[in-house]
Amino acid sequence: MRIFWADIRGRMAESMKESEHQMLFRREEIAARVAEIGAQISHDFAGESVLLVGVLKGAAVFLADLARSISVETTFDFVAISSYKGVKTTGAVRLIKDLDTPIGGRNVILVEDILDTGLTLVFLRKLLLQHKPKTLKIATCLDKPARRLEKIDADYVAFSIPNHFVVGYGMDYQERFRNLPDICILSSDEAM
Ligand code: IMP
C-alpha cells in the first residue's frame, strides 16, 4: 500500500477539528500496514529466525506490534541512544544501552520509529555490523526522506511522510504523547 503526500494533506485538513493534534494515521491503518510488513518479513525469512533490535524508547510500540505479526521464530533486544532534544536534533548520537544478546551469525532487523536525518541508523548500523550478523535489515514505522543528511534507506517502511513533527504510537515530544494510539502531527501549541 502506498500513501501519497497529497492524501496526507487531505487527511490533515479533514482531521483538524478532531483533536488538539492533527491525525495523520489512525490505529486501524497502522495495524494494517504493520501486518503487511510482518507478512513480508515472514516471507523473506521463511524457515529462519529473526532477532528484532528495537531503538528505545520510540520503537517499543511498533516493535511490540510487529513482533506479533511475524510468523517465523522471533526474539527481541533493545538498544538506546540519545540524540533528540525537543523538535530539533542535536546531531550527536551516543549509545546509552548496548545489546544484551550476541548477534553474530543471526538475522537482525533494526526496528526504529522514525528514519529522519539518518544519523541514528547510520551510527547503529555501523555498530551492529561490527558484530557480524548474518543479515542486517532496517524496519521503520515512519520515513521522512526530505530530512535525510546521511545516505541510508530502510528495507521495511510502514509510511513515508513529509517533514512534520509527529507524536503517538511510541513517538514523543519531550517524553509526552507516546501512548497516543494514532500517529498525529504535534499541535503547534505544544511545540513552543
Ligand atoms: P535521525 O537520527 O534524525 O534519523 O532521528 C531519528 C530519531 O529522531 C527517531 O528515532 C526519533 O526518536 C526522533 N525523531 C525524528 N523525528 C521525530 C518526530 O517527528 N517525532 C518524534 N521523534 C522524532
Side-chain angles (χ1 to χ4, degrees):
M1 185 182 77
R2 301 197 65 165
I3 301 275
F4 293 101
W5 290 8
D7 294 338
I8 292 172
R9 279 194 290 273
R11 285 152 193 255
M12 284 161 48
E14 259 174 43
S15 61
M16 286 286 285
K17 292 174 240 104
E18 287 177 13
S19 71
E20 55 182 307
H21 305 296
Q22 295 170 20
M23 174 88 68
L24 194 51
F25 300 110
R26 288 181 193 282
R27 61 204 82 178
E28 295 82 6
E29 53 191 325
I30 301 169
R33 270 305 284 148
V34 173
E36 285 175 357
I37 294 175
Q40 185 63 52
I41 291 173
S42 308
H43 173 267
D44 294 349
F45 291 94
E48 305 204 33
S49 61
V50 295
L51 168 63
L52 304 182
V53 175
V55 186
L56 292 172
K57 300 169 195 169
V61 177
F62 176 46
L63 185 146
D65 284 347
L66 185 61
R68 287 176 290 175
S69 67
I70 296 173
S71 56
V72 298
E73 186 182 310
T74 300
T75 51
F76 38 88
D77 197 352
F78 293 94
V79 291
I81 50 97
S82 80
S83 65
Y84 259 79
K85 298 273 178 283
V87 295
K88 293 223 165 66
T89 178
T90 62
V93 181
R94 195 164 56 86
L95 191 71
I96 295 173
K97 184 211 166 291
D98 206 343
L99 294 164
D100 296 326
T101 325
I103 64 164
R106 303 185 64 181
N107 295 311
V108 175
I109 304 178
L110 243 181
V111 181
E112 178 63 303
D113 56 354
I114 306 182
L115 173 51
D116 186 24
T117 64
L119 289 165
T120 305
L121 284 176
V122 162
F123 172 85
L124 287 173
R125 181 175 62 180
K126 193 171 161 201
L127 194 83
L128 297 195
L129 285 175
Q130 288 169 4
H131 295 274
K132 303 210 178 322
K134 181 178 175 190
T135 59
L136 179 61
K137 303 281 185 196
I138 294 172
T140 188
C141 182
L142 299 180
D143 186 8
K144 292 200 237 178
R147 296 246 313 155
R148 203 77 92 248
L149 296 176
E150 296 279 355
K151 193 171 161 20
I152 187 162
D153 288 313
D155 303 281
Y156 307 101
V157 178
F159 303 104
S160 193
I161 63 165
N163 182 19
H164 292 299
F165 197 88
V166 297
V167 292
Y169 198 64
M171 293 166 270
D172 74 309
Y173 172 64
Q174 297 182 345
E175 295 301 325
R176 298 168 64 205
F177 313 121
R178 291 192 195 276
N179 61 320
L180 297 178
D182 309 297
I183 297 175
C184 303
I185 295 172
L186 180 71
S187 149
S188 51
D189 298 346
E190 300 289 349
M192 293 296 162

